[in-house]
Amino acid sequence: MRDSPWTWTPGDSPGDFELRGDLTVAGQPVPLRLGGRAWGTLNRERDNAVLVCHHYTGTMRAAGLNPDGTPGWWDALIGPGRALDTDRFYVACLNTPGNVQVRDPEVVTTGPATPHPDGHPWGERFPAWTMADLHGAQCGLLRALHAPRWHAVVGPSFGGMQALQWAARTPALAPRVAAVVSSPVAGPVLRGVFGPLLHAAAQGDPDAALHETLRLITFFGLGADGVDLLFRDADVDAYLRTRTATADLRHVLDIGRAVQTHDLLEVAPLDDLCRHWREQGTRLLSVNVRGDQFFPAAEMRDFAAQTQAAGVAHTHLEFDSPRGHLGGLADTAAFEDALRELLGTAPMPPALDAAEVRHV
Amino acid sequence: MRDSPWTWTPGDSPGDFELRGDLTVAGQPVPLRLGGRAWGTLNRERDNAVLVCHHYTGTMRAAGLNPDGTPGWWDALIGPGRALDTDRFYVACLNTPGNVQVRDPEVVTTGPATPHPDGHPWGERFPAWTMADLHGAQCGLLRALHAPRWHAVVGPSFGGMQALQWAARTPALAPRVAAVVSSPVAGPVLRGVFGPLLHAAAQGDPDAALHETLRLITFFGLGADGVDLLFRDADVDAYLRTRTATADLRHVLDIGRAVQTHDLLEVAPLDDLCRHWREQGTRLLSVNVRGDQFFPAAEMRDFAAQTQAAGVAHTHLEFDSPRGHLGGLADTAAFEDALRELLGTAPMPPALDAAEVRHV
């Protein structure tokens, strides 16, 4: 937790807001402007705020309509009567630093491609922030809202990593956490395969490199079956050209690097994590897609087996999707009931005694 | 079929042989030396020869022991009493042009990294051969053996593509064909994703580029679940260094390009393929792994449904493997009975009337 001031100001459109503050990385303050969007109303107690964290190539447009008329990436889950019920909750989604869609006119973010206070792009001066720093910026949002804690922190993929970081770092501020198509750690697939291939794809002329990095992300996102399903009669490259229009290579690499710093066991040993969760009565929900090429389901399944054995209220679901990892965005019906239930429950009563639970 | 002479000469070790001849590409003869290895004995009628075609990074060492003491890549299928029974069949495996393992002292191949007749490497002068040319070279082996036809042509992955090319191009010479973890066409995954990413990974300093291309191939080979299974406690890069020792980047790209020319429907329209297979009594066996990242099972499943509907004797199997695509090498027990049955059956009696079959 950092004590620099963060300011929240409403934007031009209803629901839009902007968060300003300093991200302090390695002792150096980095002034950030991060755009966000919210749905529903913050209640008088300010205890009904839900933080939705976005995926790698996502933005604050979790719900509502995109400029091209398509729905937001979790629109099926967010709205009146939906799992993230905006009649009941204030649901906020904040762009990350280095947001990939930095050339999207609606997206406000700060990263290597945006101007430094000296007017030139940050470029390589933009610091190598980690998941801890991102959690710090999101803490800034919580404070700027004058909310005592989140009702829940949820998200898919990179967003699920962020939600888990909340559970690990500040369980008192995140009593309910849902991580969809995500993992407790950037494992061998992300660190040993995706990360190096991303850098290999980023070689050469920047326009081609952006195209190739998005090709890699698309493949990991869909898996071979998803690519075969969607592109047997369509052109992969034509699709990728629609994706490169608003993205920037430096931001693709910035998020790619940050994602690889995710490791809950570097936040705290498993025993400590489980003890905190029991003491706080934290409820965890994890949902994975079988055959996901970014996040092997076994990573979360094994982690859930360990937390459950340690007495943590951790529900783990798995489902099949023809779109692989992207099933976490496209096939929300598979887990909307679980999410609704998570948000509707009281936090677990704290465990009486850690040692007792551990030896049941 | 080309009419240049091909010569077969035994090598220093039992079972080793070398095929020499000209691969004629776009009218230009390219002198080839291709090493091979065989098990079992060619009978007096010379009608018991089985051609085993190797996968992308494979060599003629389909059976027996590798120099490091590990078994050949289909050793579990090839030997006395095994599915490819060497008491009954003469089983031959031939290196492809541009074999990836060109720096392996036992491997004999001709490609961009090997000497041109002028003494310098072929380099970019080595022609862009296709699956049709590879089929031509393998026809050279059949003729050099003075065999009237293959008893069967079989193989996994790229080897399965080759087997299918035999079925499509010269069904009279390949009455039984098995394609394992393969596809009737290099589809959107190979052409729209793997191929471009392979070229992106090949940018930069050649040693690093070879490492990155093998990283990509390894990922497609294992899938995320396989990578997670094998590398959660092991170093991907240390493994890749053991793979780069005998490989050459130019050959990785040479085979990568050739693979992408595979399309049975460019050999002949589906109706013609099915008619030839019915007329010749061809038996086809296809086996795929669910979740394979190189060859989506749906491609072959849909093709098999079409050939079966057209009266072709086509058996299609699918199975799960924790190693994804590499299950086609590692989990041979899943299909050894089907392969044994294929090799033990007589060719189908030819269909009496194509039109009649088509309208059943």
Side-chain angles (χ1 to χ4, degrees):
Chain A
M1 297 286 286
R2 292 170 182 77
D3 48 10
S4 62
W6 291 80
T7 59
W8 180 100
T9 52
D12 294 336
S13 305
D16 281 355
F17 64 85
E18 187 175 320
L19 182 75
R20 288 187 184 229
D22 283 344
L23 184 73
T24 302
V25 181
Q28 298 297 314
V30 179
L32 290 187
R33 287 178 59 211
L34 300 177
R37 188 164 287 175
W39 304 267
T41 308
L42 197 59
N43 63 15
R44 188 168 305 174
E45 297 77 18
R46 298 175 183 267
D47 64 2
N48 68 333
V50 173
L51 178 64
V52 175
C53 306
H54 70 68
H55 56 288
Y56 197 156
T57 58
T59 68
M60 77 294 177
R61 282 195 288 257
L65 288 183
N66 299 326
D68 66 1
T70 60
W73 50 266
W74 256 12
D75 186 70
L77 293 175
I78 302 171
R82 298 185 183 172
L84 304 182
D85 185 351
T86 52
D87 286 340
R88 190 170 162 200
F89 301 115
Y90 173 77
V91 179
C93 187
L94 182 69
N95 292 323
T96 60
N99 187 287
V100 168
Q101 309 298 333
V102 59
R103 297 193 211 168
D104 177 328
E106 288 192 344
V107 167
V108 176
T109 185
T110 307
T114 63
H116 181 273
D118 72 9
H120 300 285
W122 277 91
E124 294 189 0
R125 294 178 293 178
F126 197 73
W129 56 277
T130 66
M131 298 298 286
D133 298 313
L134 177 53
H135 171 259
Q138 292 167 341
C139 283
L141 177 61
L142 186 69
R143 278 179 281 157
L145 292 174
H146 301 292
R149 73 187 64 79
W150 300 110
H151 180 79
V153 182
V154 303
S157 191
F158 170 42
M161 289 176 158
Q162 298 167 52
L164 291 170
Q165 290 279 339
W166 272 94
R169 291 178 183 279
T170 47
L173 305 184
R176 302 169 191 83
V177 162
V180 175
V181 292
S182 194
S183 175
V185 55
V189 171
L190 276 172
R191 288 188 177 166
V193 179
F194 174 76
L197 287 176
L198 184 71
H199 281 273
Q203 303 301 311
D205 137 65
D207 284 344
L210 175 61
H211 193 92
E212 293 313 311
T213 57
L214 293 181
R215 189 192 308 276
L216 188 72
I217 291 169
T218 299
F219 180 69
F220 274 79
L222 285 169
D225 287 334
V227 167
D228 192 58
L229 179 71
L230 296 180
F231 295 106
R232 220 190 276 189
D233 302 308
D235 181 3
V236 177
D237 287 284
Y239 165 78
L240 291 175
R241 282 191 290 275
T242 69
R243 306 287 295 179
T244 55
T246 53
D248 185 279
L249 178 62
R250 289 166 293 190
H251 284 208
V252 170
L253 297 176
D254 194 49
I255 305 262
R257 177 195 42 69
V259 162
Q260 293 183 61
T261 69
H262 171 65
D263 185 350
L264 290 192
L265 299 186
E266 288 188 356
V267 177
L270 183 65
D271 281 354
D272 289 353
L273 292 177
C274 290
R275 181 168 48 80
H276 294 154
W277 292 336
R278 285 195 310 269
E279 288 173 357
Q280 296 292 335
T282 307
R283 287 186 181 269
L284 300 175
L285 169 65
S286 53
V287 180
N288 285 79
V289 170
R290 283 182 281 266
D292 184 325
Q293 294 300 302
F294 262 124
F295 295 101
E299 290 176 350
M300 189 67 90
R301 185 190 314 136
D302 295 350
F303 183 73
Q306 292 174 306
T307 62
Q308 288 161 355
V312 174
H314 185 161
T315 300
H316 176 70
L317 303 179
E318 294 182 19
F319 69 102
D320 292 306
S321 167
R323 282 164 290 270
H325 178 70
L326 289 184
L329 302 184
D331 302 325
T332 52
F335 55 90
E336 66 176 322
D337 288 346
L339 201 53
R340 186 187 302 274
E341 185 180 342
L342 176 79
L343 266 70
T345 53
M348 285 286 285
L352 293 179
D353 178 68
E356 179 191 353
V357 172
R358 199 171 305 156
H359 296 104
V360 160
Chain B
M1 296 286 286
R2 293 167 182 79
D3 49 11
S4 62
W6 291 80
T7 60
W8 180 101
T9 51
D12 294 335
S13 306
D16 281 355
F17 65 83
E18 187 175 319
L19 182 76
R20 288 187 183 229
D22 283 344
L23 183 73
T24 303
V25 181
Q28 298 299 313
V30 178
L32 289 188
R33 287 178 58 212
L34 299 177
R37 189 165 286 176
W39 304 268
T41 307
L42 198 59
N43 64 13
R44 188 168 302 172
E45 298 77 19
R46 297 174 182 269
D47 64 1
N48 69 332
V50 173
L51 178 64
V52 175
C53 305
H54 71 68
H55 55 289
Y56 196 156
T57 58
T59 68
M60 77 296 177
R61 283 195 288 258
L65 288 184
N66 298 327
D68 65 2
T70 59
W73 51 266
W74 256 11
D75 186 70
L77 293 175
I78 302 170
R82 297 185 183 171
L84 305 182
D85 186 351
T86 51
D87 287 339
R88 192 170 161 199
F89 301 116
Y90 173 77
V91 179
C93 186
L94 182 70
N95 292 321
T96 60
N99 187 286
V100 168
Q101 309 298 333
V102 58
R103 296 193 213 170
D104 177 330
E106 288 192 345
V107 168
V108 175
T109 184
T110 306
T114 63
H116 181 274
D118 72 11
H120 299 285
W122 278 90
E124 294 188 0
R125 294 178 294 178
F126 198 73
W129 56 277
T130 65
M131 299 298 288
D133 299 312
L134 177 53
H135 172 257
Q138 292 168 340
C139 283
L141 176 61
L142 186 70
R143 279 178 282 156
L145 294 174
H146 302 291
R149 74 189 62 79
W150 300 110
H151 180 80
V153 182
V154 301
S157 190
F158 170 42
M161 289 176 157
Q162 299 169 51
L164 291 170
Q165 290 279 339
W166 273 94
R169 292 178 182 278
T170 47
L173 306 184
R176 302 169 192 83
V177 162
V180 175
V181 291
S182 194
S183 176
V185 54
V189 172
L190 277 171
R191 288 187 177 167
V193 179
F194 175 76
L197 287 177
L198 184 70
H199 281 273
Q203 303 300 312
D205 137 65
D207 284 344
L210 175 61
H211 194 90
E212 293 313 310
T213 56
L214 293 182
R215 190 191 310 275
L216 188 72
I217 292 169
T218 299
F219 181 69
F220 274 77
L222 285 169
D225 287 333
V227 167
D228 193 59
L229 177 73
L230 296 180
F231 294 107
R232 221 191 276 187
D233 302 308
D235 180 3
V236 177
D237 287 283
Y239 165 78
L240 291 174
R241 282 191 290 275
T242 69
R243 307 287 296 177
T244 55
T246 53
D248 185 279
L249 179 63
R250 289 167 293 192
H251 284 208
V252 170
L253 297 175
D254 194 51
I255 304 265
R257 176 195 43 66
V259 162
Q260 294 182 61
T261 68
H262 172 65
D263 185 350
L264 290 190
L265 299 187
E266 288 189 356
V267 177
L270 183 66
D271 282 354
D272 290 352
L273 291 177
C274 290
R275 180 167 50 79
H276 295 153
W277 292 336
R278 287 194 309 267
E279 288 173 358
Q280 296 293 335
T282 307
R283 286 185 181 270
L284 300 176
L285 169 65
S286 53
V287 180
N288 284 80
V289 170
R290 283 181 281 266
D292 184 326
Q293 294 300 302
F294 262 122
F295 296 100
E299 290 177 351
M300 189 65 91
R301 185 190 314 136
D302 295 349
F303 184 73
Q306 293 174 305
T307 61
Q308 288 162 356
V312 174
H314 185 161
T315 299
H316 176 70
L317 303 180
E318 293 182 18
F319 69 104
D320 291 307
S321 167
R323 281 164 292 268
H325 179 70
L326 289 185
L329 303 183
D331 302 325
T332 52
F335 55 89
E336 67 176 319
D337 287 347
L339 201 54
R340 189 187 301 274
E341 185 180 342
L342 176 79
L343 267 72
T345 51
M348 287 284 288
L352 293 178
D353 179 70
E356 177 188 353
V357 172
R358 198 169 308 155
H359 295 103
V360 161

